[in-house]
């Protein structure tokens, strides 16, 4: 086991999770799992900070996804804010606007950038590529006038997410490149990028480090058919060409089964001459960015990614 790599607080937290004896997510139905995840998603997160502007709206695309806009100042003050389209994690099966509300507020507060969180369709009711289609439609809408309609700057747009949301962000960044849509940054927090769960980090951290092999199999079995898993829209590491995609800022957790595929994606981006900034946070697990009440490493990581957004969007 590799628990000696963990910070003391992270080790204590995982021990507490193990003692709780709650049924594992992968033993539940998606409906049951969503209820559990919804109740627990922000327990360790920072308190929801008040912001000048928080609005729930609907993206007027074909599937009319809900979204929530966060901004640290009202729309009518000075020039329009740049915007980050944010995609929540949850393995393509769990999560939504409420589970990531605190995180989106923190990003908006610390960066000065408006954050638009998208409530894309979830599996198994909507399997691959439904989530990809929703994200791509929302990004096109945002850049092609949607941002302006919200009082934001449609010429300064970034794209980001955590976990499965980071996978979707990486995929949509490639689609934006192919469509010549201008994108200032892709913010990828602990992304999954590979088709197979066979890296060394999957072996090292595949059990007892918050997310395990059984949970990942449960997520992906609900989301996508086995014969589709070489599709780069599921596994962007397998895209043929990454040249010309937006600059990337990656936040990775050392003790995460997904860390090796995050590192591999950063390497492929660099080989394609894409500007990459990598923040590898030692001693923490997947989802640490949402544990700011107890995992102190989350706070400076939030500050660093906020600074990267500020620089990319020149706020």
């Amino acid at each position: 086991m590799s628990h000696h790599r963990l910070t003391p607080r992270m080790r204590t937290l995982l021990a507490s999770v193990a003692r709780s004896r709650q049924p594992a997510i992968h033993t539940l139905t998606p409906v049951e799992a969503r209820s559990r995840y919804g109740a627990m998603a922000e327990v360790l997160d920072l308190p929801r900070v008040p912001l000048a502007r928080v609005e729930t709206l609907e993206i007027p695309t074909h599937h009319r996804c809900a979204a929530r806009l966060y901004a640290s100042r009202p729309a009518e003050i000075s020039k329009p804010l740049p915007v980050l389209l944010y995609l929540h994690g949850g393995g393509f099966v769990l999560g939504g606007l409420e589970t990531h509300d605190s995180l989106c507020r923190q990003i908006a507060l610390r960066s000065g950038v408006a954050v638009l969180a998208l409530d894309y369709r979830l599996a198994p009711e909507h399997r691959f590529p439904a989530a990809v289609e929703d994200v791509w439609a929302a990004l096109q809408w945002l850049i092609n006038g949607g941002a302006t309609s919200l009082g934001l700057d449609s010429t300064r747009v970034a794209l980001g997410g955590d976990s499965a949301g980071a996978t979707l962000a990486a995929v949509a960044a490639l689609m934006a490149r192919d469509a010549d849509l201008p994108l200032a940054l892709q913010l990828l927090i602990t992304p999954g990028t590979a088709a197979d769960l066979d890296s060394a980090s999957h072996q090292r951290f595949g059990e007892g480090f918050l997310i395990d092999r059984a949970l990942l199999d449960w997520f992906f079995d609900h989301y996508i058919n086995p014969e589709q898993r070489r599709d780069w829209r599921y596994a962007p590491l397998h895209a043929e060409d990454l040249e010309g995609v937006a600059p990337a800022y990656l936040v990775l957790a050392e003790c995460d089964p997904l860390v090796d595929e995050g590192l591999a994606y950063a390497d492929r981006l660099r080989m394609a001459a894409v500007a990459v900034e990598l923040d590898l946070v030692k001693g923490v697990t997947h989802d640490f960015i949402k544990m700011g009440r107890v995992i102190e490493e989350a706070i400076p990581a939030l500050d660093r990614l906020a600074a990267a957004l500020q620089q990319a969007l020149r706020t």
Side-chain angles (χ1 to χ4, degrees):
M1 298 292 284
S2 302
H3 282 88
H4 67 277
R5 296 171 181 261
L6 296 168
T7 68
R9 286 191 179 185
M10 194 82 245
R11 195 179 305 120
T12 299
L13 176 60
L14 290 184
S16 177
V17 170
R19 287 194 303 269
S20 70
R21 300 194 180 280
Q22 291 281 340
I25 288 287
H26 70 266
T27 67
L28 305 177
T29 68
V31 172
E32 292 168 338
R34 286 173 194 149
S35 178
R36 162 88 75 78
Y37 185 65
M40 299 298 294
E42 290 195 339
V43 168
L44 303 178
D45 220 330
L46 296 169
R48 293 186 177 187
V49 64
L51 293 174
R53 188 181 182 193
V54 179
E55 302 170 14
T56 301
L57 55 125
E58 191 176 73
I59 304 292
T61 54
H62 179 66
H63 292 288
R64 306 191 74 83
C65 295
R68 187 171 293 164
L69 177 63
Y70 305 87
S72 57
R73 60 172 171 78
E76 61 273 11
I77 296 180
S78 73
K79 65 181 182 180
L81 290 175
V83 57
L84 167 71
L85 179 64
Y86 194 84
L87 313 169
H88 67 80
F92 309 104
V93 178
L94 312 177
L97 299 182
E98 294 301 322
T99 62
H100 285 64
D101 187 88
S102 173
L103 177 58
C104 290
R105 288 171 184 262
Q106 288 294 329
I107 295 173
L109 175 71
R110 293 167 189 268
S111 68
V113 172
V115 176
L116 184 67
L118 181 70
D119 200 18
Y120 56 86
R121 289 174 294 167
L122 298 176
E125 295 88 348
H126 306 282
R127 290 172 66 84
F128 173 86
V132 174
E133 292 168 350
D134 289 347
V135 171
W136 177 230
L139 182 61
Q140 291 178 91
W141 171 81
L142 192 63
I143 292 175
N144 292 324
T148 303
S149 73
L150 297 173
L152 305 173
D153 188 347
S154 62
T155 69
R156 293 188 293 161
V157 176
L159 177 64
D162 62 286
S163 193
T167 306
L168 291 168
V171 168
L174 285 162
M175 298 172 81
R177 175 204 62 186
D178 293 344
D180 290 325
L181 285 185
L183 197 61
L185 186 74
Q186 49 179 324
L187 168 64
L188 310 179
I189 304 171
T190 60
T193 66
D196 303 307
L197 309 180
D198 59 358
S199 70
S201 62
H202 278 289
Q203 301 300 317
R204 186 178 300 119
F205 305 115
E207 187 175 344
F209 290 85
L210 197 69
I211 60 171
D212 55 26
R213 176 61 182 264
L215 178 59
L216 293 171
D217 284 339
W218 185 87
F219 282 143
F220 301 151
D221 287 346
H222 281 306
Y223 178 55
I224 189 169
N225 298 332
E227 65 272 14
Q228 296 175 298
R229 296 188 186 186
R230 307 306 293 187
D231 191 317
W232 65 267
R233 296 173 300 165
Y234 165 70
L237 183 62
H238 304 291
E240 184 175 340
D241 177 23
L242 302 183
E243 186 176 356
V245 76
Y249 185 91
L250 285 87
V251 180
L252 304 181
E254 180 191 17
C255 303
D256 181 354
L258 303 180
V259 66
D260 281 356
E261 56 200 78
L263 292 168
Y265 198 65
D267 286 345
R268 275 213 62 202
L269 288 167
R270 289 191 183 108
M271 289 172 62
V274 176
V276 175
E277 192 169 351
L278 176 64
D279 185 7
L280 177 60
V281 183
K282 300 290 187 179
V284 296
T285 68
H286 194 80
D287 220 28
F288 83 95
I289 201 74
K290 287 175 49 55
M291 302 177 187
R293 290 181 194 255
V294 292
I295 303 302
E296 58 190 356
E297 288 79 8
I299 309 299
L302 282 168
D303 285 335
R304 291 190 295 269
L305 71 84
L309 276 170
Q310 286 177 339
Q311 183 173 0
L313 294 166
R314 292 176 176 81
T315 57

